[in-house]
């Protein structure tokens, strides 16, 4: 045994595996310790040698096996990006995630978000590929070459794996990235197409009014937009220029977790959405959902400069159109109200504000400007006087105080206004129309 130990050591080996090593005598143990040779008690040394050899060449074997499994996964068509990532995670036997500067965008096959929250600074975003290994998690990432969604990284991750396995995941990430980038592009095209179809359908529905239009009703049914039941409109508009498609994605994603049937469509310079119930919701439940819509608005405000409005609860087909219109009015008013954090609910507005919101359309505003054009001048003194006069409920004294002029001056101006416009200021309907016109033109 001593000769065997010396010969193994002289050949450069660091360990000897033999059956019955536990029965070595004290002298052999002292010799092995002195020459630095580990003696392993192994009943089948040949099988250990074969296993060790396999482990030594396993680095390439892991990569080849993983590539083969990913190739099989690519043969199955994916419905969307989430479905593709799910296929990749199942094929790799590891977690797969998309990352951006804010954290995990989407993940499948594991949870990377909790770990990434405390280790995001370890990921080198400027590198093409990167590996981060820690006792809790090992992550291999590659930059996603996607012009439509820059700043993304594809990550393969797993806890408690060795260096060879992490290296294999890095290769897997590079192989999978082109498929992921292509799927993102396909989904973007599908999103644009779907958003255009939804926008056109919503426009046709609102234009049709109360009348049932067979083609519109059929298209709404095919899209899952049911007009029966009870509806609550929700409108989000940009206070400055916004990416409507990105806003639509954000609104749709925020409404999903509410647990209520919801729909959203790009509409003009914003997004129109609504909630639907089969039966009328209890007052407490309705208030809770309005509060949730406010929370959705506050979430959107972190990424978009928007204002939001909520309509009133309405029933059936005509009610859906009505609550959508109310939500649009409320959103336009909200765009001017920083005190409400740019969020307004139509139930909390006065009649005057609702009427004023209705004047902001392509029909009323040009008519108002044409009506009041004879009063316009360098200083708009007649228009300003008329507006103040109507704001103060046709009170001469109050108007004079507000403008800082004599009462006779106000009386003379009102007389000139009546003669110029050819109207009777004693008619309540005339005063209402002029008041709305003044407020619309001067806003």
């Amino acid at each position: 045994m001593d000769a065997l130990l010396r010969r193994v050591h002289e050949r450069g080996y660091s360990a000897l595996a033999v059956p019955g090593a536990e029965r070595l005598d004290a002298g052999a143990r002292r010799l092995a310790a002195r020459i630095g040779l580990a003696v392993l008690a192994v009943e089948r040394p040949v099988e250990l040698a074969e296993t060790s050899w396999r482990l030594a060449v396993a680095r390439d074997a892991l990569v080849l096996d993983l590539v083969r499994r990913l190739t099989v996964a690519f043969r199955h068509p994916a419905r969307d990006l989430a479905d593709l990532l799910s296929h990749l995670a199942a094929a790799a036997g590891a977690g797969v995630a998309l990352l951006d500067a804010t954290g995990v965008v989407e993940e499948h096959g594991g949870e990377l978000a909790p770990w990434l929250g405390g280790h995001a600074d370890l990921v080198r975003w400027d590198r093409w590929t990167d590996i981060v290994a820690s006792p809790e998690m090992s992550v291999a990432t590659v930059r996603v070459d996607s012009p439509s969604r820059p700043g993304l990284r594809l990550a393969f991750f797993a806890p408690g794996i060795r260096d060879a396995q992490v290296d294999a995941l890095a290769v897997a990430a590079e192989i999978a990235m082109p498929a992921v980038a292509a799927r993102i592009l396909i989904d973007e095209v599908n999103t644009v197409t779907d958003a255009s179809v939804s926008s056109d359908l919503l426009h046709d529905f609102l234009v049709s009014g109360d009348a049932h239009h067979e083609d519109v009703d059929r298209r709404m049914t095919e899209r899952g937009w049911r007009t029966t039941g009870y509806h609550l409109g929700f409108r989000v508009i940009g206070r400055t220029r916004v990416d409507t498609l990105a806003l639509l994605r954000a609104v749709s994603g925020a409404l999903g977790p509410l647990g209520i049937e919801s729909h959203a469509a790009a509409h003009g310079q914003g997004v129109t959405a609504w909630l639907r119930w089969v039966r009328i919701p209890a007052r407490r439940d309705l208030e809770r959902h309005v509060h949730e819509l406010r929370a959705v608005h506050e979430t959107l405000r972190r990424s978009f400069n928007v204002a939001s409005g909520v309509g009133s609860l309405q029933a059936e087909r005509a009610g859906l159109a009505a609550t959508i219109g109310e939500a649009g009015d409320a959103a336009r008013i909200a765009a001017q109200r920083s005190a409400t954090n740019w969020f307004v609910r139509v139930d909390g507005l006065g009649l005057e504000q609702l009427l004023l919101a209705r004047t902001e359309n392509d029909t009323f505003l040009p008519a108002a400007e044409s009506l009041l054009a004879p009063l316009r001048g360098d200083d708009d003194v007649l228009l300003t006087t008329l507006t103040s006069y109507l704001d103060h409920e046709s009170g001469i004294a109050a108007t004079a105080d507000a403008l800082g002029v004599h009462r006779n001056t106000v009386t003379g101006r009102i007389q000139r206004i009546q003669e110029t416009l050819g109207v009777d200021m004693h008619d309540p309907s005339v005063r209402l129309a002029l008041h709305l016109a003044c407020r619309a033109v001067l806003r």
Side-chain angles (χ1 to χ4, degrees):
M1 180 55 68
D2 288 354
L4 178 60
L5 294 176
R6 292 182 182 279
R7 185 176 302 173
V8 169
H9 172 64
E10 289 169 359
R11 294 292 181 92
Y13 293 102
S14 57
L16 171 66
V18 293
E22 70 278 2
R23 297 192 296 273
L24 287 180
D25 59 31
R29 292 176 184 276
R30 286 195 299 271
L31 174 60
R34 189 172 70 252
I35 62 178
L37 184 69
V39 181
L40 309 177
V42 179
E43 292 303 317
R44 294 185 292 276
V46 174
E47 292 184 14
L48 173 63
E50 181 182 1
T51 301
S52 299
W53 174 81
R54 289 183 181 276
L55 288 174
V57 298
R59 189 179 303 269
D60 292 339
L62 281 172
V63 172
L64 293 175
D65 182 59
L66 194 50
V67 170
R68 179 185 60 79
R69 284 185 278 149
L70 290 177
T71 304
V72 173
F74 292 149
R75 295 174 185 170
H76 300 283
R79 296 186 301 274
D80 50 27
L81 178 61
D83 196 34
L84 174 61
L85 296 179
S86 178
H87 286 339
L88 294 177
V96 177
L98 275 178
L99 316 178
D100 65 12
T102 64
V104 174
V105 176
E106 191 163 348
E107 60 185 359
H108 295 267
E111 292 187 0
L112 182 62
W115 178 88
L116 187 65
H119 301 81
D121 57 320
L122 299 180
V123 179
R124 288 169 287 187
W125 297 90
D126 57 328
R127 299 192 60 180
W128 177 254
T129 59
D130 186 39
I131 292 177
V132 178
S134 73
E136 305 86 19
M137 187 73 71
S138 295
V139 185
T141 70
V142 63
R143 186 189 310 155
V144 177
D145 188 15
S146 173
S148 61
R149 295 184 65 179
L152 287 179
R153 294 190 75 86
L154 175 64
F156 279 66
F157 61 92
I161 58 176
R162 295 182 177 277
D163 292 345
Q165 293 169 297
V166 179
D167 292 341
L169 290 183
V171 175
E174 288 201 75
I175 292 174
M177 186 277 291
V180 171
R183 186 70 249 183
I184 289 174
L185 180 59
I186 293 171
D187 287 356
E188 288 286 341
V189 173
N190 291 340
T191 297
V192 172
T193 303
D194 185 75
S196 177
V197 171
S198 297
S199 180
D200 290 344
L201 178 55
L202 181 59
H203 174 266
D204 293 345
F205 167 71
L206 295 176
V207 168
S208 66
D210 295 338
H212 286 271
H213 193 288
E214 183 177 345
D215 178 63
V216 173
D217 291 348
R218 175 186 57 78
R219 289 157 58 200
M220 293 186 70
T221 300
E222 291 174 351
R223 197 157 194 83
W225 293 3
R226 293 176 286 185
T227 56
T228 57
Y230 295 84
H231 315 280
L232 184 69
F234 180 52
R235 173 78 170 151
V236 184
I237 61 175
R239 297 186 60 249
T240 54
R241 187 176 181 85
V242 297
D243 184 340
T244 306
L245 287 177
L247 181 60
L248 176 61
R249 278 195 297 265
V251 171
S252 300
L255 293 179
L258 299 186
I260 297 295
E261 180 183 335
S262 62
H263 306 282
H267 184 203
Q269 299 302 312
V271 173
T272 292
W274 62 94
L275 307 182
R276 176 186 177 273
W277 295 265
V278 176
R279 298 180 181 83
I280 186 168
R283 181 70 181 178
R284 185 186 338 182
D285 292 337
L286 180 62
E287 293 302 319
R288 175 168 56 85
H289 290 305
V290 171
H291 180 74
E292 290 172 339
L293 290 178
R294 179 183 284 274
V296 169
H297 165 75
E298 291 172 353
T299 299
L300 295 174
R301 286 277 302 162
R302 298 178 191 140
S303 304
F304 304 92
N305 185 14
V306 293
S308 301
V310 178
S312 63
L313 186 68
Q314 300 280 351
E316 302 304 320
R317 190 182 198 278
L320 175 57
T323 190
I324 287 176
E326 291 174 345
D329 293 342
R332 285 194 293 272
I333 295 173
Q336 308 297 325
R337 288 193 170 187
S338 61
T340 62
N341 193 30
W342 321 111
F343 180 92
V344 165
R345 180 183 179 184
V346 78
D347 287 349
L349 293 173
L351 176 60
E352 179 190 7
Q353 292 168 323
L354 288 175
L355 289 173
L356 288 172
R358 289 292 185 183
T359 65
E360 295 182 352
N361 59 61
D362 295 337
T363 302
F364 185 88
L365 192 54
E369 291 174 342
S370 176
L371 173 65
L372 300 175
L375 305 182
R376 303 304 295 261
D378 293 338
D379 53 2
D380 283 342
V381 63
L382 292 182
L383 182 58
T384 303
T385 300
L386 175 60
T387 303
S388 180
Y389 176 74
L390 295 171
D391 283 345
H392 292 89
E393 300 178 354
S394 305
I396 295 294
T399 304
D401 289 341
L403 297 177
V405 297
H406 195 272
R407 293 179 55 180
N408 292 341
T409 302
V410 173
T411 302
R413 289 179 183 176
I414 296 300
Q415 184 63 36
R416 285 176 56 195
I417 290 169
Q418 291 189 87
E419 294 172 355
T420 302
L421 298 180
V423 297
D424 180 7
M425 297 290 288
H426 296 94
D427 187 338
S429 62
V430 170
R431 291 200 304 272
L432 175 60
L434 288 174
H435 199 183
L436 292 175
C438 289
R439 295 291 289 274
V441 168
L442 294 178
R443 291 187 73 154

